[in-house]
mmCIF file of all heavy atoms in Angstrom:
data_model
loop_
_atom_site.group_PDB
_atom_site.id
_atom_site.type_symbol
_atom_site.label_atom_id
_atom_site.label_comp_id
_atom_site.label_asym_id
_atom_site.label_seq_id
_atom_site.Cartn_x
_atom_site.Cartn_y
_atom_site.Cartn_z
ATOM 1 N N GLY A 22 12.189 22.307 -6.354
ATOM 2 C CA GLY A 22 12.881 23.382 -5.655
ATOM 3 C C GLY A 22 12.457 24.765 -6.107
ATOM 4 O O GLY A 22 12.958 25.769 -5.590
ATOM 5 N N LYS A 23 11.540 24.848 -7.071
ATOM 6 C CA LYS A 23 11.076 26.147 -7.567
ATOM 7 C C LYS A 23 9.557 26.228 -7.460
ATOM 8 O O LYS A 23 8.875 25.226 -7.233
ATOM 9 C CB LYS A 23 11.502 26.339 -9.027
ATOM 10 C CG LYS A 23 13.010 26.318 -9.243
ATOM 11 C CD LYS A 23 13.349 26.499 -10.709
ATOM 12 C CE LYS A 23 14.857 26.432 -10.940
ATOM 13 N NZ LYS A 23 15.210 26.590 -12.376
ATOM 14 N N GLU A 24 9.025 27.404 -7.631
ATOM 15 C CA GLU A 24 7.571 27.604 -7.554
ATOM 16 C C GLU A 24 6.905 27.025 -8.795
ATOM 17 O O GLU A 24 7.398 27.181 -9.918
ATOM 18 C CB GLU A 24 7.266 29.100 -7.431
ATOM 19 C CG GLU A 24 5.799 29.397 -7.189
ATOM 20 C CD GLU A 24 5.538 30.869 -6.946
ATOM 21 O OE1 GLU A 24 6.527 31.607 -6.765
ATOM 22 O OE2 GLU A 24 4.369 31.272 -6.939
ATOM 23 N N ARG A 25 5.802 26.355 -8.611
ATOM 24 C CA ARG A 25 5.113 25.745 -9.743
ATOM 25 C C ARG A 25 4.445 26.801 -10.608
ATOM 26 O O ARG A 25 3.996 27.836 -10.124
ATOM 27 C CB ARG A 25 4.103 24.710 -9.281
ATOM 28 C CG ARG A 25 2.943 25.264 -8.490
ATOM 29 C CD ARG A 25 1.909 24.178 -8.204
ATOM 30 N NE ARG A 25 2.504 23.034 -7.549
ATOM 31 C CZ ARG A 25 1.875 21.866 -7.398
ATOM 32 N NH1 ARG A 25 0.652 21.719 -7.867
ATOM 33 N NH2 ARG A 25 2.461 20.868 -6.776
ATOM 34 N N GLN A 26 4.377 26.515 -11.906
ATOM 35 C CA GLN A 26 3.712 27.407 -12.857
ATOM 36 C C GLN A 26 2.372 26.783 -13.232
ATOM 37 O O GLN A 26 2.300 25.607 -13.571
ATOM 38 C CB GLN A 26 4.573 27.588 -14.098
ATOM 39 C CG GLN A 26 5.988 28.080 -13.826
ATOM 40 C CD GLN A 26 6.854 28.008 -15.063
ATOM 41 O OE1 GLN A 26 6.526 28.594 -16.101
ATOM 42 N NE2 GLN A 26 7.959 27.269 -14.972
ATOM 43 N N VAL A 27 1.315 27.576 -13.186
ATOM 44 C CA VAL A 27 -0.033 27.093 -13.486
ATOM 45 C C VAL A 27 -0.641 27.972 -14.567
ATOM 46 O O VAL A 27 -0.538 29.205 -14.506
ATOM 47 C CB VAL A 27 -0.925 27.105 -12.226
ATOM 48 C CG1 VAL A 27 -2.320 26.573 -12.559
ATOM 49 C CG2 VAL A 27 -0.295 26.296 -11.104
ATOM 50 N N SER A 28 -1.261 27.337 -15.561
ATOM 51 C CA SER A 28 -1.839 28.092 -16.665
ATOM 52 C C SER A 28 -3.044 27.352 -17.232
ATOM 53 O O SER A 28 -3.184 26.143 -17.041
ATOM 54 C CB SER A 28 -0.784 28.297 -17.761
ATOM 55 O OG SER A 28 -1.341 28.938 -18.885
ATOM 56 N N VAL A 29 -3.909 28.084 -17.930
ATOM 57 C CA VAL A 29 -5.017 27.461 -18.659
ATOM 58 C C VAL A 29 -4.650 27.340 -20.138
ATOM 59 O O VAL A 29 -5.488 26.976 -20.957
ATOM 60 C CB VAL A 29 -6.321 28.271 -18.495
ATOM 61 C CG1 VAL A 29 -6.787 28.240 -17.054
ATOM 62 C CG2 VAL A 29 -6.138 29.714 -18.965
ATOM 63 N N ASP A 30 -3.399 27.647 -20.446
ATOM 64 C CA ASP A 30 -2.894 27.631 -21.818
ATOM 65 C C ASP A 30 -1.793 26.582 -21.939
ATOM 66 O O ASP A 30 -0.842 26.562 -21.149
ATOM 67 C CB ASP A 30 -2.356 29.018 -22.175
ATOM 68 C CG ASP A 30 -2.043 29.155 -23.662
ATOM 69 O OD1 ASP A 30 -1.876 28.117 -24.333
ATOM 70 O OD2 ASP A 30 -1.957 30.300 -24.135
ATOM 71 N N SER A 31 -1.878 25.729 -22.952
ATOM 72 C CA SER A 31 -0.893 24.659 -23.135
ATOM 73 C C SER A 31 0.476 25.177 -23.546
ATOM 74 O O SER A 31 1.453 24.424 -23.557
ATOM 75 C CB SER A 31 -1.393 23.671 -24.192
ATOM 76 O OG SER A 31 -1.550 24.329 -25.447
ATOM 77 N N SER A 32 0.577 26.460 -23.868
ATOM 78 C CA SER A 32 1.875 27.023 -24.252
ATOM 79 C C SER A 32 2.888 26.923 -23.112
ATOM 80 O O SER A 32 4.093 27.057 -23.336
ATOM 81 C CB SER A 32 1.719 28.491 -24.673
ATOM 82 O OG SER A 32 1.241 29.277 -23.589
ATOM 83 N N LEU A 33 2.398 26.667 -21.901
ATOM 84 C CA LEU A 33 3.286 26.487 -20.755
ATOM 85 C C LEU A 33 4.275 25.350 -21.004
ATOM 86 O O LEU A 33 5.391 25.361 -20.487
ATOM 87 C CB LEU A 33 2.443 26.189 -19.501
ATOM 88 C CG LEU A 33 3.177 26.000 -18.182
ATOM 89 C CD1 LEU A 33 3.833 27.301 -17.740
ATOM 90 C CD2 LEU A 33 2.223 25.513 -17.104
ATOM 91 N N PHE A 34 3.859 24.368 -21.820
ATOM 92 C CA PHE A 34 4.694 23.202 -22.076
ATOM 93 C C PHE A 34 5.547 23.334 -23.339
ATOM 94 O O PHE A 34 6.273 22.406 -23.701
ATOM 95 C CB PHE A 34 3.828 21.942 -22.220
ATOM 96 C CG PHE A 34 3.114 21.538 -20.962
ATOM 97 C CD1 PHE A 34 1.903 20.856 -21.029
ATOM 98 C CD2 PHE A 34 3.638 21.816 -19.715
ATOM 99 C CE1 PHE A 34 1.240 20.466 -19.886
ATOM 100 C CE2 PHE A 34 2.976 21.433 -18.560
ATOM 101 C CZ PHE A 34 1.772 20.755 -18.633
ATOM 102 N N HIS A 35 5.475 24.464 -24.042
ATOM 103 C CA HIS A 35 6.155 24.579 -25.326
ATOM 104 C C HIS A 35 7.671 24.570 -25.191
ATOM 105 O O HIS A 35 8.369 24.016 -26.037
ATOM 106 C CB HIS A 35 5.705 25.854 -26.054
ATOM 107 C CG HIS A 35 4.295 25.747 -26.566
ATOM 108 N ND1 HIS A 35 3.651 26.786 -27.219
ATOM 109 C CD2 HIS A 35 3.404 24.719 -26.527
ATOM 110 C CE1 HIS A 35 2.429 26.399 -27.543
ATOM 111 N NE2 HIS A 35 2.262 25.147 -27.133
ATOM 112 N N LEU A 36 8.202 25.164 -24.146
ATOM 113 C CA LEU A 36 9.638 25.188 -23.940
ATOM 114 C C LEU A 36 10.084 23.884 -23.285
ATOM 115 O O LEU A 36 9.538 23.469 -22.271
ATOM 116 C CB LEU A 36 10.037 26.380 -23.069
ATOM 117 C CG LEU A 36 9.867 27.771 -23.705
ATOM 118 C CD1 LEU A 36 10.213 28.852 -22.687
ATOM 119 C CD2 LEU A 36 10.745 27.910 -24.943
ATOM 120 N N LYS A 37 11.093 23.233 -23.863
ATOM 121 C CA LYS A 37 11.584 21.982 -23.308
ATOM 122 C C LYS A 37 12.481 22.250 -22.102
ATOM 123 O O LYS A 37 13.309 23.160 -22.136
ATOM 124 C CB LYS A 37 12.345 21.188 -24.362
ATOM 125 C CG LYS A 37 11.472 20.604 -25.451
ATOM 126 C CD LYS A 37 12.269 19.683 -26.348
ATOM 127 C CE LYS A 37 11.368 19.026 -27.394
ATOM 128 N NZ LYS A 37 12.127 18.084 -28.273
ATOM 129 N N PRO A 38 12.338 21.473 -21.038
ATOM 130 C CA PRO A 38 13.211 21.640 -19.870
ATOM 131 C C PRO A 38 14.657 21.308 -20.224
ATOM 132 O O PRO A 38 14.930 20.634 -21.218
ATOM 133 C CB PRO A 38 12.654 20.631 -18.857
ATOM 134 C CG PRO A 38 11.287 20.321 -19.332
ATOM 135 C CD PRO A 38 11.325 20.437 -20.823
ATOM 136 N N ASN A 39 15.586 21.777 -19.431
ATOM 137 C CA ASN A 39 17.001 21.461 -19.635
ATOM 138 C C ASN A 39 17.237 19.974 -19.419
ATOM 139 O O ASN A 39 16.573 19.330 -18.607
ATOM 140 C CB ASN A 39 17.873 22.267 -18.675
ATOM 141 C CG ASN A 39 17.774 23.762 -18.935
ATOM 142 O OD1 ASN A 39 17.623 24.180 -20.090
ATOM 143 N ND2 ASN A 39 17.855 24.559 -17.894
ATOM 144 N N GLN A 40 18.191 19.429 -20.129
ATOM 145 C CA GLN A 40 18.507 18.018 -20.034
ATOM 146 C C GLN A 40 18.882 17.638 -18.599
ATOM 147 O O GLN A 40 19.749 18.256 -17.984
ATOM 148 C CB GLN A 40 19.681 17.683 -20.965
ATOM 149 C CG GLN A 40 20.067 16.224 -20.988
ATOM 150 C CD GLN A 40 19.012 15.354 -21.660
ATOM 151 O OE1 GLN A 40 18.270 15.828 -22.514
ATOM 152 N NE2 GLN A 40 18.942 14.093 -21.289
ATOM 153 N N GLY A 41 18.194 16.621 -18.060
ATOM 154 C CA GLY A 41 18.513 16.132 -16.721
ATOM 155 C C GLY A 41 17.917 16.932 -15.588
ATOM 156 O O GLY A 41 18.085 16.568 -14.421
ATOM 157 N N GLU A 42 17.216 18.011 -15.896
ATOM 158 C CA GLU A 42 16.629 18.820 -14.823
ATOM 159 C C GLU A 42 15.341 18.156 -14.318
ATOM 160 O O GLU A 42 14.445 17.871 -15.103
ATOM 161 C CB GLU A 42 16.322 20.234 -15.324
ATOM 162 C CG GLU A 42 15.831 21.176 -14.242
ATOM 163 C CD GLU A 42 15.690 22.602 -14.739
ATOM 164 O OE1 GLU A 42 15.655 22.800 -15.971
ATOM 165 O OE2 GLU A 42 15.599 23.510 -13.899
ATOM 166 N N PRO A 43 15.234 17.876 -13.015
ATOM 167 C CA PRO A 43 14.036 17.212 -12.493
ATOM 168 C C PRO A 43 12.812 18.136 -12.509
ATOM 169 O O PRO A 43 12.903 19.298 -12.108
ATOM 170 C CB PRO A 43 14.431 16.836 -11.060
ATOM 171 C CG PRO A 43 15.508 17.787 -10.695
ATOM 172 C CD PRO A 43 16.242 18.107 -11.958
ATOM 173 N N TYR A 44 11.688 17.610 -12.961
ATOM 174 C CA TYR A 44 10.472 18.420 -13.051
ATOM 175 C C TYR A 44 9.261 17.501 -13.146
ATOM 176 O O TYR A 44 9.385 16.286 -13.297
ATOM 177 C CB TYR A 44 10.521 19.343 -14.269
ATOM 178 C CG TYR A 44 10.417 18.613 -15.594
ATOM 179 C CD1 TYR A 44 9.189 18.477 -16.246
ATOM 180 C CD2 TYR A 44 11.537 18.045 -16.190
ATOM 181 C CE1 TYR A 44 9.081 17.800 -17.447
ATOM 182 C CE2 TYR A 44 11.444 17.363 -17.388
ATOM 183 C CZ TYR A 44 10.211 17.250 -18.025
ATOM 184 O OH TYR A 44 10.107 16.563 -19.210
ATOM 185 N N GLN A 45 8.097 18.106 -13.080
ATOM 186 C CA GLN A 45 6.865 17.375 -13.364
ATOM 187 C C GLN A 45 5.954 18.248 -14.211
ATOM 188 O O GLN A 45 5.857 19.455 -14.005
ATOM 189 C CB GLN A 45 6.155 16.957 -12.074
ATOM 190 C CG GLN A 45 5.754 18.090 -11.153
ATOM 191 C CD GLN A 45 4.917 17.606 -9.981
ATOM 192 O OE1 GLN A 45 3.988 16.826 -10.154
ATOM 193 N NE2 GLN A 45 5.245 18.081 -8.791
ATOM 194 N N ASP A 46 5.311 17.628 -15.196
ATOM 195 C CA ASP A 46 4.293 18.281 -16.006
ATOM 196 C C ASP A 46 2.971 17.593 -15.727
ATOM 197 O O ASP A 46 2.886 16.363 -15.770
ATOM 198 C CB ASP A 46 4.615 18.165 -17.499
ATOM 199 C CG ASP A 46 5.702 19.137 -17.934
ATOM 200 O OD1 ASP A 46 5.983 20.076 -17.168
ATOM 201 O OD2 ASP A 46 6.257 18.959 -19.029
ATOM 202 N N VAL A 47 1.948 18.368 -15.435
ATOM 203 C CA VAL A 47 0.654 17.813 -15.059
ATOM 204 C C VAL A 47 -0.446 18.548 -15.824
ATOM 205 O O VAL A 47 -0.395 19.763 -15.983
ATOM 206 C CB VAL A 47 0.397 17.970 -13.536
ATOM 207 C CG1 VAL A 47 -0.983 17.439 -13.171
ATOM 208 C CG2 VAL A 47 1.474 17.259 -12.736
ATOM 209 N N ILE A 48 -1.413 17.782 -16.308
ATOM 210 C CA ILE A 48 -2.612 18.390 -16.893
ATOM 211 C C ILE A 48 -3.820 17.835 -16.161
ATOM 212 O O ILE A 48 -3.918 16.637 -15.915
ATOM 213 C CB ILE A 48 -2.703 18.124 -18.414
ATOM 214 C CG1 ILE A 48 -3.949 18.806 -18.985
ATOM 215 C CG2 ILE A 48 -2.707 16.640 -18.739
ATOM 216 C CD1 ILE A 48 -4.005 18.806 -20.498
ATOM 217 N N ARG A 49 -4.712 18.721 -15.765
ATOM 218 C CA ARG A 49 -5.890 18.321 -14.998
ATOM 219 C C ARG A 49 -7.144 18.789 -15.724
ATOM 220 O O ARG A 49 -7.305 19.968 -16.032
ATOM 221 C CB ARG A 49 -5.835 18.928 -13.599
ATOM 222 C CG ARG A 49 -7.053 18.585 -12.737
ATOM 223 C CD ARG A 49 -6.951 19.192 -11.347
ATOM 224 N NE ARG A 49 -5.827 18.631 -10.615
ATOM 225 C CZ ARG A 49 -4.803 19.356 -10.161
ATOM 226 N NH1 ARG A 49 -4.762 20.652 -10.391
ATOM 227 N NH2 ARG A 49 -3.819 18.783 -9.493
ATOM 228 N N PHE A 50 -8.001 17.815 -16.005
ATOM 229 C CA PHE A 50 -9.302 18.121 -16.595
ATOM 230 C C PHE A 50 -10.366 18.003 -15.512
ATOM 231 O O PHE A 50 -10.435 16.997 -14.810
ATOM 232 C CB PHE A 50 -9.624 17.144 -17.729
ATOM 233 C CG PHE A 50 -11.053 17.202 -18.178
ATOM 234 C CD1 PHE A 50 -11.480 18.204 -19.043
ATOM 235 C CD2 PHE A 50 -11.975 16.278 -17.728
ATOM 236 C CE1 PHE A 50 -12.808 18.264 -19.442
ATOM 237 C CE2 PHE A 50 -13.295 16.332 -18.127
ATOM 238 C CZ PHE A 50 -13.714 17.333 -18.989
ATOM 239 N N SER A 51 -11.196 19.019 -15.354
ATOM 240 C CA SER A 51 -12.251 19.005 -14.335
ATOM 241 C C SER A 51 -13.582 19.340 -14.978
ATOM 242 O O SER A 51 -13.687 20.285 -15.768
ATOM 243 C CB SER A 51 -11.951 20.023 -13.226
ATOM 244 O OG SER A 51 -10.682 19.792 -12.661
ATOM 245 N N ASN A 52 -14.583 18.568 -14.638
ATOM 246 C CA ASN A 52 -15.953 18.846 -15.058
ATOM 247 C C ASN A 52 -16.790 18.922 -13.798
ATOM 248 O O ASN A 52 -17.012 17.913 -13.129
ATOM 249 C CB ASN A 52 -16.465 17.738 -15.983
ATOM 250 C CG ASN A 52 -17.850 18.050 -16.531
ATOM 251 O OD1 ASN A 52 -18.610 18.783 -15.931
ATOM 252 N ND2 ASN A 52 -18.162 17.467 -17.676
ATOM 253 N N PHE A 53 -17.239 20.113 -13.460
ATOM 254 C CA PHE A 53 -17.944 20.313 -12.206
ATOM 255 C C PHE A 53 -19.455 20.338 -12.362
ATOM 256 O O PHE A 53 -20.165 20.851 -11.523
ATOM 257 C CB PHE A 53 -17.461 21.605 -11.532
ATOM 258 C CG PHE A 53 -16.022 21.550 -11.136
ATOM 259 C CD1 PHE A 53 -15.059 22.251 -11.840
ATOM 260 C CD2 PHE A 53 -15.613 20.774 -10.074
ATOM 261 C CE1 PHE A 53 -13.720 22.190 -11.486
ATOM 262 C CE2 PHE A 53 -14.276 20.703 -9.708
ATOM 263 C CZ PHE A 53 -13.335 21.414 -10.414
ATOM 264 N N ASP A 54 -19.917 19.778 -13.486
ATOM 265 C CA ASP A 54 -21.351 19.614 -13.663
ATOM 266 C C ASP A 54 -21.878 18.732 -12.538
ATOM 267 O O ASP A 54 -21.364 17.638 -12.301
ATOM 268 C CB ASP A 54 -21.628 18.964 -15.020
ATOM 269 C CG ASP A 54 -23.112 18.906 -15.348
ATOM 270 O OD1 ASP A 54 -23.865 18.375 -14.506
ATOM 271 O OD2 ASP A 54 -23.499 19.375 -16.422
ATOM 272 N N SER A 55 -22.901 19.175 -11.835
ATOM 273 C CA SER A 55 -23.407 18.443 -10.664
ATOM 274 C C SER A 55 -23.869 17.039 -11.010
ATOM 275 O O SER A 55 -23.868 16.143 -10.163
ATOM 276 C CB SER A 55 -24.550 19.220 -10.001
ATOM 277 O OG SER A 55 -25.609 19.426 -10.924
ATOM 278 N N ASN A 56 -24.257 16.818 -12.253
ATOM 279 C CA ASN A 56 -24.730 15.497 -12.660
ATOM 280 C C ASN A 56 -23.630 14.642 -13.284
ATOM 281 O O ASN A 56 -23.834 13.484 -13.596
ATOM 282 C CB ASN A 56 -25.876 15.643 -13.672
ATOM 283 C CG ASN A 56 -27.082 16.339 -13.060
ATOM 284 O OD1 ASN A 56 -27.426 16.080 -11.917
ATOM 285 N ND2 ASN A 56 -27.696 17.232 -13.829
ATOM 286 N N ASN A 57 -22.444 15.232 -13.463
ATOM 287 C CA ASN A 57 -21.388 14.514 -14.173
ATOM 288 C C ASN A 57 -20.027 14.939 -13.646
ATOM 289 O O ASN A 57 -19.127 15.287 -14.401
ATOM 290 C CB ASN A 57 -21.486 14.795 -15.677
ATOM 291 C CG ASN A 57 -20.600 13.870 -16.495
ATOM 292 O OD1 ASN A 57 -20.426 12.712 -16.150
ATOM 293 N ND2 ASN A 57 -20.044 14.396 -17.572
ATOM 294 N N PHE A 58 -19.865 14.922 -12.323
ATOM 295 C CA PHE A 58 -18.610 15.377 -11.720
ATOM 296 C C PHE A 58 -17.460 14.465 -12.115
ATOM 297 O O PHE A 58 -17.555 13.254 -12.020
ATOM 298 C CB PHE A 58 -18.742 15.410 -10.198
ATOM 299 C CG PHE A 58 -17.475 15.813 -9.498
ATOM 300 C CD1 PHE A 58 -17.093 17.142 -9.464
ATOM 301 C CD2 PHE A 58 -16.665 14.870 -8.899
ATOM 302 C CE1 PHE A 58 -15.925 17.521 -8.835
ATOM 303 C CE2 PHE A 58 -15.490 15.234 -8.268
ATOM 304 C CZ PHE A 58 -15.114 16.571 -8.235
ATOM 305 N N LEU A 59 -16.368 15.047 -12.555
ATOM 306 C CA LEU A 59 -15.230 14.268 -13.002
ATOM 307 C C LEU A 59 -13.939 15.057 -12.821
ATOM 308 O O LEU A 59 -13.875 16.241 -13.126
ATOM 309 C CB LEU A 59 -15.380 13.905 -14.485
ATOM 310 C CG LEU A 59 -14.210 13.147 -15.139
ATOM 311 C CD1 LEU A 59 -14.096 11.750 -14.563
ATOM 312 C CD2 LEU A 59 -14.398 13.096 -16.645
#
Side-chain angles (χ1 to χ4, degrees):
K23 299 179 182 179
E24 186 175 349
R25 66 174 55 192
Q26 305 170 57
V27 181
S28 176
V29 294
D30 190 340
S31 62
S32 62
L33 181 67
F34 294 151
H35 288 178
L36 292 176
K37 289 188 176 181
N39 296 326
Q40 182 69 27
E42 185 173 17
Y44 70 96
Q45 60 173 314
D46 283 345
V47 178
I48 181 170
R49 179 179 296 119
F50 167 80
S51 304
N52 185 335
F53 296 106
D54 187 306
S55 59
N56 297 320
N57 191 35
F58 178 77
L59 176 68

